[in-house]
Amino acid sequence: MTRNDALRAARLRVGWRSAEMAATQLTACGRRFLDDPHFNVSPRTWRRWEGSRPGWPSEETALVLHDVLGRWPEQLGFTPPPGWIRPEHHEETSMQTAAFLAVTAPALVPGPLSTQQVDPALIDYFQSQLEGHYRADMLLGPHDLIGTLGPQYQLIDKLTRSATGETRRGLLRVGAAYAALIGWLYQDAGDLSAAAFWRGITQETALRARDPRLIGYAMVNSAQVRTDLGDGAGVVDLCEAALADDQVVPKIQVMAMQQQAHGASLLRHQDRAEVDRLIDSADRLLPQVDDDLPWGNACRRTPGYLEVQRATCYGRLGLGTEASRLWEQVLAVVPASARRDRGVYMARHATAAATARQPEQAVEIARKVVTIAVETGSARMRRELTALERVMRPWHDAPVGRDLAEVLAPVTEGS
């Protein structure tokens, strides 16, 4: 089909029998669409468009053609000039750029900034707020906190530029902890690109602080993102790097070993023994975690922390009965106040029950999870419910499958 045939066929489809009618109609449509009384396409221009050398319409005309004919110029036989990008892509790119700037702005403030006196007591001030942020995360989910943590990190970064000596290093350490939490919030919200950016900021800030413990913590945080990406090799690489330091503290050992177990479950789909070895090794070290660092305390704060990891890995390995049994034990000790975490665990429990061919139990558990998923906005929870939906496909046409579809509707319809 030649270029003039493509445009001619398009105008005939909308009932424009001649070039004169097409030019008149396109002019009228364009004036309404653009709100521009001067927009005009002449019959001569339209006849040229249907000829062998149609040229290329202006961007405004391209928009009008698309609005009226439902096709872009290159789909109507015009030859795009070098570098042509559809107007719709301009808008999409602008939105993506704005979203990227919103994510990165707190960490990428250009400097130097005006100097100021920095009191060392500010380190304790920011550290004291961390625990409250961790608790709020469990209760609220990620979206409400991201907007709070970003400006706080920006203030810490501003103060760091003026501080000197130990005050500067102390602010860098607390800044790394804030960056890690922001990265986690984005990860929980399902934005892995933003999470990876903030994990990188955590690593950079930890290196600037010259704190081996924070550097190890940052590597484990990056491994968490790799776990969500399904990159088992990346998880293992990062955890082995964190454990390679001869003086690595027990907290980092525990965190790295449990995360490495996730990597093992992603890499070796039948290797339960490696998962158990790593989780058991971490469990023996857990009583030695006695530091007063304000970050990385989930291993002490979360009831059944290591069994949560074991159950998650078992579920990934397809060990439904074993995972379901562990989830029952974990959920018996996780407090109701840890609403977001309970929701994630319950969703994994439901998937384990379905894997163990207990679909009715899976649906009853999912019924409770959906309410929490909607309230907290946790993308992790929604992802777990999507995994449940996949495992429940054998019952898709059965009553229990239809029940699940109804239960999941508030989540699937909002996604």
Side-chain angles (χ1 to χ4, degrees):
M1 182 176 285
T2 62
R3 287 173 292 179
N4 58 336
D5 286 341
L7 183 60
R8 181 173 182 275
R11 71 166 167 80
L12 290 174
R13 275 195 296 270
V14 295
W16 299 346
R17 298 179 182 178
S18 65
E20 288 74 13
M21 180 183 289
T24 300
Q25 292 295 327
L26 192 70
T27 295
C29 292
R31 289 178 179 180
R32 289 194 301 270
F33 180 76
L34 299 171
D35 193 23
D36 179 2
H38 303 295
F39 177 80
N40 184 70
V41 173
S42 70
R44 179 180 177 183
T45 297
W46 190 281
R47 282 192 291 271
R48 175 169 56 80
W49 286 350
E50 288 194 13
S52 60
R53 297 181 179 179
W56 185 254
S58 68
E59 185 168 308
E60 283 189 343
T61 304
L63 287 168
V64 176
L65 284 166
H66 180 264
D67 181 63
V68 177
L69 302 178
R71 287 169 172 77
W72 294 104
E74 68 269 30
Q75 298 167 321
L76 293 169
F78 295 86
T79 302
W84 159 250
I85 300 175
R86 291 180 183 176
E88 62 175 355
H89 291 168
H90 285 302
E91 182 178 350
E92 181 180 337
T93 301
S94 296
M95 292 175 63
Q96 290 173 342
T97 300
F100 176 77
L101 291 174
V103 167
T104 61
L108 299 178
V109 176
L113 304 174
S114 57
T115 58
Q116 63 186 102
Q117 185 68 30
V118 181
D119 194 307
L122 286 168
I123 298 170
D124 292 334
Y125 165 73
F126 287 114
Q127 285 183 343
S128 66
Q129 294 192 53
L130 269 175
E131 185 59 34
H133 291 318
Y134 292 137
R135 287 197 304 270
D137 171 44
M138 289 190 293
L139 296 169
L140 293 173
H143 299 286
D144 291 321
L145 283 180
I146 287 173
T148 299
L149 270 292
Q152 285 192 306
Y153 177 86
Q154 190 170 356
L155 175 57
I156 294 169
D157 179 54
K158 177 177 179 288
L159 295 170
T160 301
R161 300 185 191 198
S162 295
T164 58
E166 284 304 309
T167 301
R168 177 181 171 79
R169 290 189 62 190
L171 285 169
L172 284 167
R173 286 192 292 268
V174 75
Y178 272 75
L181 180 52
I182 295 170
W184 160 248
L185 293 173
Y186 276 115
Q187 188 172 344
D188 191 35
D191 190 341
L192 293 186
S193 296
F197 170 83
W198 279 97
R199 299 309 199 190
I201 293 297
T202 305
Q203 186 76 50
E204 174 196 314
T205 312
L207 286 166
R208 289 169 61 194
R210 296 175 178 80
D211 188 326
R213 298 170 302 182
L214 267 174
I215 294 169
Y217 178 57
M219 284 191 281
V220 175
N221 275 283
S222 293
Q224 289 179 347
V225 177
R226 287 283 139 194
T227 297
D228 278 3
L229 290 170
D231 178 11
V235 175
V236 172
D237 287 342
L238 286 161
C239 292
E240 287 181 345
L243 291 167
D245 187 343
D246 292 336
Q247 298 183 347
V248 60
V249 296
K251 178 186 284 185
I252 302 303
Q253 287 180 291
V254 169
M255 295 179 67
M257 285 177 179
Q258 62 83 17
Q259 202 64 43
Q260 190 173 343
H262 288 284
S265 70
L266 285 164
L267 275 177
R268 310 176 184 90
H269 296 296
Q270 300 300 322
D271 198 350
R272 173 180 175 174
E274 178 68 0
V275 168
D276 285 335
R277 182 188 71 80
L278 288 161
I279 297 293
D280 290 344
S281 297
D283 190 44
R284 286 190 290 272
L285 285 168
L286 193 56
Q288 299 178 36
V289 179
D290 60 356
D291 59 67
D292 58 356
L293 298 170
W295 46 262
N297 290 313
C299 60
R300 292 185 296 196
R301 183 177 60 245
T302 305
Y305 172 76
L306 289 174
E307 294 313 301
V308 166
Q309 316 311 321
R310 195 192 307 268
T312 302
C313 292
Y314 279 6
R316 197 178 283 123
L317 292 168
L319 303 170
T321 301
E322 293 87 340
S324 187
R325 189 180 303 120
L326 280 173
W327 285 124
E328 288 174 0
Q329 296 172 14
V330 167
L331 288 163
V333 297
V334 175
S337 58
R339 189 163 175 75
R340 193 271 320 282
D341 286 349
R342 276 190 68 86
V344 171
Y345 302 161
M346 290 167 66
R348 292 175 183 170
H349 185 197
T351 301
T355 304
R357 306 196 67 78
Q358 299 292 331
E360 290 82 5
Q361 182 188 14
V363 172
E364 287 309 305
I365 298 170
R367 198 181 304 277
K368 301 171 186 175
V369 176
V370 166
T371 301
I372 305 173
V374 171
E375 290 177 356
T376 62
S378 171
R380 281 197 312 149
M381 215 176 302
R382 289 173 181 263
R383 188 170 64 244
E384 298 295 344
L385 290 171
T386 300
L388 169 62
E389 202 171 18
R390 287 196 300 268
V391 175
M392 287 284 289
R393 281 175 184 167
W395 296 278
H396 177 73
D397 293 325
V400 70
R402 292 191 289 273
D403 286 347
L404 180 68
E406 183 179 341
V407 166
L408 296 182
V411 173
T412 55
E413 290 173 0
S415 59

